[in-house]
Amino acid sequence: EVQLAESGGGLVQAGGSLRLSCAVSGFSFDEDNIGWFRQAPGKEREGVSCIRFYDNTTVYGDSVMGRFTISRDNAKRTLYLQMDNLKPEDTGTYYCAYEKGSCGSPLLLKLWAMSGLGSWGQGTQVTVSS
């Protein structure tokens, strides 16, 4: 059974940091693209970042470039998202997801977010206060 379990969300003041984790099981963690997405109330799902499985290329959405860092620990089967200099507009539910063919450029990341392809976790809430 495929499982993705996000954790690490919470309430933080603007300018602060959080580190999200996504523990995975049930699929080949190092043979699939995996990424982070978010959705705020009333807004479309947005691609935050992803890692391409075969060369570890990382891709970021424009709104988080330079502030967020994605990483993976294959031994622990865990994906991370280090979020620094958080802004109120970063508020939302953050999801991790995996899928074979959708990470490699910001456009592909955006299309992945729109399509909802692959397997997804239940999400963790991040709230940034001003």
Side-chain angles (χ1 to χ4, degrees), residues 36-38 45-49 60-64 109-110 113-114:
W36 287 100
F37 301 81
R38 67 187 182 189
R45 183 168 47 218
E46 177 185 6
V48 175
S49 182
Y60 294 92
D62 289 343
S63 62
V64 306
L109 178 62
K110 181 177 181 178
M114 294 172 62

Side-chain angles (χ1 to χ4, degrees), residues 11-79:
L11 174 64
V12 64
Q13 288 188 330
S17 298
L18 282 174
R19 188 193 195 201
L20 305 184
S21 299
C22 175
V24 308
S25 62
F27 65 96
S28 299
F29 181 64
D30 56 352
E31 295 181 4
D32 290 283
N33 298 321
I34 191 162
W36 287 100
F37 301 81
R38 67 187 182 189
Q39 189 164 22
K43 294 188 177 181
E44 293 183 349
R45 183 168 47 218
E46 177 185 6
V48 175
S49 182
C50 64
I51 295 179
R52 191 162 63 186
F53 74 95
Y54 63 85
D55 63 359
N56 284 327
T57 291
T58 56
V59 176
Y60 294 92
D62 289 343
S63 62
V64 306
M65 183 77 71
R67 299 187 298 121
F68 291 11
T69 304
I70 191 171
S71 62
R72 64 193 297 168
D73 185 327
N74 289 344
K76 295 182 178 179
R77 298 180 61 84
T78 301
L79 179 72

Side-chain angles (χ1 to χ4, degrees), residues 79-94:
L79 179 72
Y80 301 100
L81 184 70
Q82 177 66 41
M83 305 187 295
D84 298 318
N85 190 22
L86 283 160
K87 304 176 180 180
E89 51 264 43
D90 294 318
T91 294
T93 303
Y94 283 68

